[in-house]
Amino acid sequence: MVDHLATTNSVTEEENSEDVLYAKLDHIFNSSTQAIPVRYSIEISSKDDFDIGQLERLTPQPVFSALPWISDENLRYADNFSRSPTLQLTNRLRKSRYTVVNHVSCYNITEQQVDQLLSTGIRNLFVIRGDTVSPEQTFLNSAGLVQYLRKQEQQKGHSKLTIGVGGYPYGHHQSPSETDELRYLAEKISNGVDFLLTQTVYDAQSFLRYRTRCREAGISIPIIPGIYVPHSYRHLQTMLNLTRIQLRPTVRDAFDTHANDAPEQFEAFMVDYFVGVLRELLEPNASSSDPIKLVHFFTFNKFALLQQVLHRLENFIE
């Protein structure tokens, strides 16, 4: 299903149909078999010393592993992206038979650099605008970058690209209104987006309401909830500040109650809490016309926490 590339720096040299993300997603979301269990994917923090053994010990194994885009770091290697730490880790994961989704940011990336990135063999992309936007940059928004990727796919004869973008259950802080935000999202998706992965979800109802609004706006692609299990109260606050999410008062109060817990107590509370959120999301699957079939975890490489959640949800996630 995927063309083999001759370049020695290709990250798809060992590709086969079972490793292609769009084939996996098609099986998960479009299979006529009702018994397909919920699956999960993860985001890994790209570090030079990342131990793949941590990933290999997870049970069950993820559908794909996503690697974030660090603009300044990656663009230093724009003359040869395969030398960047992110692409080096991509290659290591691919050699260990993991399907990888690479984030790519619009920030200061040029069309030539996008072409260079595609020349490495990357075919699974999560497109983000980035927190910083320069008026002079080529792609001012992710819709433009998605459109360019699809154009290159057609004109250059690239094998199938699988493209995801982000969704915001708590709203995007720069959107003038919820209606405008969903209209823009629908337009972006019409450029050729395969799946929507949400920002961190802290309560089930916020995700479910967001999904309903997306469906009402004509968005029909898979919507995957993003889950982050904080390992400390301080890290939770950092994440909330970075994402500018305003929690529902009851959720914030529940978290604040454990602000001074010992580390082990805080982690235990968070595992309990997010297992509860996921149960609320997944229990209606049996009778739902729009079941959740894939859950994404932002791990920050805290695999022990993730394994606890997976173990507690073994009746749902396989």
Side-chain angles (χ1 to χ4, degrees), residues 93-318:
L93 290 168
R94 295 282 310 143
K95 288 180 177 178
S96 294
R97 309 303 298 164
Y98 285 101
T99 298
V100 179
V101 174
N102 292 91
H103 291 207
V104 58
S105 169
C106 296
Y107 177 67
N108 279 349
I109 197 169
T110 66
E111 291 182 353
Q112 183 179 13
Q113 289 167 347
V114 173
D115 293 344
Q116 162 69 223
L117 188 64
L118 291 176
S119 75
T120 67
I122 284 176
R123 293 295 174 265
N124 306 322
L125 294 158
F126 185 75
V127 177
I128 60 174
R129 189 197 68 172
D131 295 327
T132 305
V133 179
S134 168
E136 295 78 27
Q137 68 187 46
T138 304
F139 303 103
L140 294 176
N141 52 55
S142 52
L145 182 48
V146 170
Q147 189 173 44
Y148 182 77
L149 287 166
R150 288 302 184 200
K151 184 181 77 171
Q152 294 304 93
E153 177 186 43
Q154 294 176 6
Q155 293 184 353
K156 302 296 184 181
H158 289 303
S159 54
K160 167 70 177 173
L161 300 178
T162 302
I163 299 175
V165 297
Y168 300 88
Y170 302 92
H172 193 286
H173 69 278
Q174 292 181 327
S175 294
S177 72
E178 180 183 291
T179 300
D180 288 331
E181 181 181 330
L182 289 175
R183 182 189 308 116
Y184 169 70
L185 179 60
E187 292 172 355
K188 174 166 53 178
I189 288 171
S190 70
N191 288 336
V193 173
D194 297 298
F195 66 93
L196 182 65
L197 173 59
T198 75
Q199 201 174 36
T200 48
V201 170
Y202 295 94
D203 66 284
Q205 290 306 309
S206 290
F207 171 82
L208 295 172
R209 283 195 296 270
Y210 177 72
R211 186 180 63 178
T212 297
R213 296 197 301 267
C214 286
R215 299 306 187 217
E216 291 172 349
I219 296 169
S220 59
I221 62 174
I223 302 176
I224 303 166
I227 301 294
Y228 152 63
V229 183
H231 58 274
S232 72
Y233 185 78
R234 181 177 180 180
H235 197 263
L236 168 64
Q237 296 306 308
T238 299
M239 282 293 293
L240 291 172
N241 289 333
L242 284 173
T243 56
R244 305 189 190 188
I245 288 175
Q246 296 295 319
L247 296 176
R248 295 170 63 188
T250 54
V251 176
R252 175 169 287 284
D253 290 347
F255 291 168
D256 288 348
T257 300
H258 294 269
N260 297 315
D261 282 359
E264 298 82 2
Q265 291 175 307
F266 184 83
E267 289 185 356
F269 164 72
M270 283 298 174
V271 168
D272 281 343
Y273 178 85
F274 281 99
V275 165
V277 170
L278 285 162
R279 286 186 181 279
E280 189 175 348
L281 288 173
L282 301 178
E283 282 177 349
N285 272 0
S287 58
S288 174
S289 60
D290 193 7
I292 295 170
K293 298 184 178 181
L294 183 63
V295 175
H296 187 76
F297 291 96
F298 302 97
T299 70
F300 293 93
N301 297 355
K302 302 297 181 181
F303 293 103
L305 275 182
L306 172 59
Q307 187 63 74
Q308 290 181 56
V309 172
L310 294 175
H311 177 71
R312 296 271 297 275
L313 293 169
E314 61 185 0
N315 291 336
F316 294 97
I317 299 177
E318 295 183 14

Side-chain angles (χ1 to χ4, degrees), residues 13-165:
E13 289 175 348
E14 302 299 324
E15 188 74 278
N16 62 48
S17 61
E18 292 182 351
D19 294 325
V20 179
L21 179 60
Y22 75 84
K24 290 185 174 184
L25 296 182
D26 181 66
H27 176 70
I28 291 170
F29 289 103
N30 298 320
S31 175
S32 59
T33 303
Q34 296 297 317
I36 290 180
V38 177
R39 304 295 302 276
Y40 80 97
S41 56
I42 61 174
E43 179 176 303
I44 296 171
S45 298
S46 304
K47 296 181 178 179
D48 293 339
D49 61 349
F50 177 73
D51 178 12
I52 292 181
Q54 298 178 83
L55 182 55
E56 293 172 336
R57 288 188 287 273
L58 283 176
T59 305
Q61 287 280 283
V63 171
F64 67 80
S65 301
L67 298 181
W69 178 270
I70 305 171
S71 294
D72 292 337
E73 176 182 282
N74 284 312
L75 291 178
R76 290 208 324 266
Y77 299 91
D79 60 329
N80 185 0
F81 275 118
S82 62
R83 293 174 47 244
S84 74
T86 300
L87 269 291
Q88 291 289 318
L89 180 53
T90 298
N91 198 36
R92 288 173 56 207
L93 290 168
R94 295 282 310 143
K95 288 180 177 178
S96 294
R97 309 303 298 164
Y98 285 101
T99 298
V100 179
V101 174
N102 292 91
H103 291 207
V104 58
S105 169
C106 296
Y107 177 67
N108 279 349
I109 197 169
T110 66
E111 291 182 353
Q112 183 179 13
Q113 289 167 347
V114 173
D115 293 344
Q116 162 69 223
L117 188 64
L118 291 176
S119 75
T120 67
I122 284 176
R123 293 295 174 265
N124 306 322
L125 294 158
F126 185 75
V127 177
I128 60 174
R129 189 197 68 172
D131 295 327
T132 305
V133 179
S134 168
E136 295 78 27
Q137 68 187 46
T138 304
F139 303 103
L140 294 176
N141 52 55
S142 52
L145 182 48
V146 170
Q147 189 173 44
Y148 182 77
L149 287 166
R150 288 302 184 200
K151 184 181 77 171
Q152 294 304 93
E153 177 186 43
Q154 294 176 6
Q155 293 184 353
K156 302 296 184 181
H158 289 303
S159 54
K160 167 70 177 173
L161 300 178
T162 302
I163 299 175
V165 297

